[in-house]
Amino acid sequence: MDIQVRQVPTVGVEEEYFLVDPVTRSVVSAGPRVVAHAAAEVGDLVSEEFTGYQIEVRTRPCTTMNELRGELARVRAAAVSAAGREGLRLCASGTPVIAPDRASDVGDHPRYRAGLRQYRAMLGDFDISAFHAHVLLPDREQAVLTGNHLRPWLPLLVAMSANSPFHHGSDTGYASWRSVIRSRFPCLGPPPYARSLAHHEQLAAAMAASEAMLNADMPYWDIRPHPHLPTLEVRSMDVPAEVGDTVALTALIRATVVTAARRVGEGDAGPEVCSELLRAAYWRAARDGWPGSGIDILTGTVMPFADQAAQLVAYVRPVLEEYGDVDLVKAFLERLETRGSGADVQRSWYAAGAGLNAVVDGLLQATDSPGITAAGPVTVQ
């Protein structure tokens, strides 16, 4: 079991984007056409998403964060070019800033159709875009127990990645409205504590039997052993507008996964933290985001997210040093301290410019410019 995490595990990411008319700044249902254009360049690394005005890109497995940055910039650029062929732009935001002119067609996938039948009106505004990180972890038993160690850190990841303060033309008052939309579903959010892979599968089967979950073999919890890939997948984050933030978060997630997996290898199955308190921590993180405060699940106290992040970095620092990612994560935390999360950046654009149009324009520019952040270029170590 332990041999898998004594090597440098590969990582991969998925990002979901909205397709936006640069004149009206509204989302446009053109996903299948844009995917067809992009597939000519990047093949199956681009796909349709739940709504017609979204697409998804994914990277190949990468070993270093420099490699991941280049790979993500490449697939983003292909998607940007494909959208441009339809007169559209790509927008990396957790929710649409401006409401669509009409309801979008749901993507043509059996799973999406099944979701509509099962969840009905709950999916009426399920137009949200995420960032998922995959870390190589082929042993599914180890992956489930590793997830127990990751559960307490999920609200912090919500706060650090928060990038959806506006939704359909309104300021929600939240940093991550995407997280709020997801919280209404019984099958989304933090996974339950699992004593073993068999326990994890038993819980998923019971959820599916109740129809709270579509398919026991493909749970949508925020940490899961991927159903088809030899990875542990972390799914709690809004999609960042800036490639540099995605890369830094992935470095931090990988270090957390590896640190936890090594503890599992030593016989530690992870802390059995209270699920109700964890959901409360999610809500607080979604509302206030960085640089606010939230519940530290391990102590039950309210603590600034900056202090929680410092604790996490201290916990995983040996792995960050081992993989050469300390400076990358440090630069990301410095950006958060300087300009806040994506939600803070969006609100700063709103306050300084032409309202919601300025927010969309800022997002379009940030999405189009891989490698450039609001604080300037970032060097990946």
Side-chain angles (χ1 to χ4, degrees):
M1 180 182 291
D2 193 43
I3 189 171
Q4 301 294 344
V5 292
R6 291 301 170 187
Q7 302 167 349
V8 180
T10 56
V11 295
V13 304
E14 300 166 288
E15 288 191 330
E16 299 159 357
Y17 312 120
F18 294 106
L19 300 169
V20 171
D21 184 319
V23 177
T24 67
R25 278 83 165 189
S26 180
V27 292
V28 175
S29 186
R33 299 194 302 275
V34 172
V35 166
H37 294 314
E41 182 175 348
V42 295
D44 63 0
L45 299 181
V46 61
S47 61
E48 297 177 37
E49 247 301 315
F50 180 74
T51 70
Y53 43 77
Q54 292 170 277
I55 64 169
E56 178 184 273
V57 302
R58 63 190 65 88
T59 68
R60 297 187 178 95
C62 301
T63 300
T64 69
M65 293 303 139
N66 260 332
E67 183 184 1
L68 179 66
R69 178 192 286 274
E71 178 72 1
L72 182 55
R74 181 179 75 89
V75 293
R76 261 205 198 194
V80 166
S81 176
R85 295 182 62 178
E86 293 291 328
L88 303 174
R89 300 281 296 280
L90 218 59
C91 183
S93 177
T95 49
V97 175
I98 296 176
D101 293 334
R102 62 180 180 84
S104 173
D105 296 331
V106 173
D108 187 18
H109 192 289
R111 186 170 68 250
Y112 301 154
R113 302 296 178 185
L116 281 178
R117 291 192 298 272
Q118 196 150 313
Y119 298 112
R120 305 168 193 181
M122 288 175 69
L123 287 170
D125 63 348
F126 197 69
D127 45 0
I128 58 176
S129 290
F131 146 52
H132 301 161
H134 293 256
V135 181
L136 179 67
L137 209 57
D139 186 310
R140 290 175 61 80
E141 183 84 31
Q142 182 189 41
V144 166
L145 299 179
T146 297
N148 291 338
H149 287 272
L150 266 61
R151 292 171 77 235
W153 302 109
L154 289 172
L156 175 61
L157 294 178
V158 170
M160 297 171 93
S161 67
N163 190 35
S164 51
F166 298 100
H167 182 246
H168 289 191
S170 298
D171 188 331
T172 65
Y174 282 71
S176 175
W177 190 247
R178 168 189 163 273
S179 296
V180 175
I181 291 174
R182 296 178 80 251
S183 69
R184 71 178 68 144
F185 292 87
C187 59
L188 300 179
Y193 181 89
R195 296 184 298 273
S196 64
L197 174 60
H199 186 209
H200 171 90
E201 293 174 341
Q202 178 186 8
L203 292 169
M207 291 280 286
S210 75
E211 298 189 6
M213 182 182 289
L214 274 176
N215 187 333
D217 294 330
M218 195 171 185
Y220 283 93
W221 289 318
D222 282 351
I223 310 168
R224 68 178 185 184
H226 193 275
H228 310 301
L229 301 172
T231 66
L232 185 65
E233 183 181 9
V234 181
R235 304 163 47 86
S236 60
M237 296 80 65
D238 287 3
V239 61
E242 301 164 3
V243 165
D245 289 354
T246 296
V247 174
L249 278 164
T250 302
L252 185 59
I253 289 167
R254 178 171 68 174
T256 307
V257 168
V258 171
T259 300
R262 289 177 178 175
R263 297 192 67 167
V264 169
E266 296 166 356
D268 185 350
E272 192 169 352
V273 298
C274 172
S275 294
E276 289 79 9
L277 191 61
L278 183 53
R279 293 191 73 88
Y282 257 67
W283 171 80
R284 178 69 183 260
R287 189 190 71 176
D288 295 351
W290 195 285
S293 298
I295 303 170
D296 176 6
I297 302 301
L298 295 175
T299 65
T301 60
V302 175
M303 180 185 298
F305 286 119
D307 292 346
Q308 294 186 40
Q311 288 184 347
L312 176 58
V313 170
Y315 171 60
V316 304
R317 188 178 184 93
V319 176
L320 289 174
E321 291 177 343
E322 183 178 339
Y323 297 162
D325 293 334
V326 172
D327 289 344
L328 174 61
V329 171
K330 180 181 177 182
F332 172 59
L333 293 177
E334 289 173 351
R335 293 200 298 278
L336 285 175
E337 289 296 321
T338 300
R339 48 89 164 143
S341 68
D344 297 298
V345 174
Q346 287 196 36
R347 288 194 171 110
S348 71
W349 288 331
Y350 181 90
L356 293 176
N357 284 351
V359 175
V360 177
D361 291 346
L363 287 166
L364 299 182
Q365 182 176 0
T367 308
D368 282 2
S369 305
I372 304 299
T373 73
V378 176
T379 300
V380 182
Q381 301 296 327

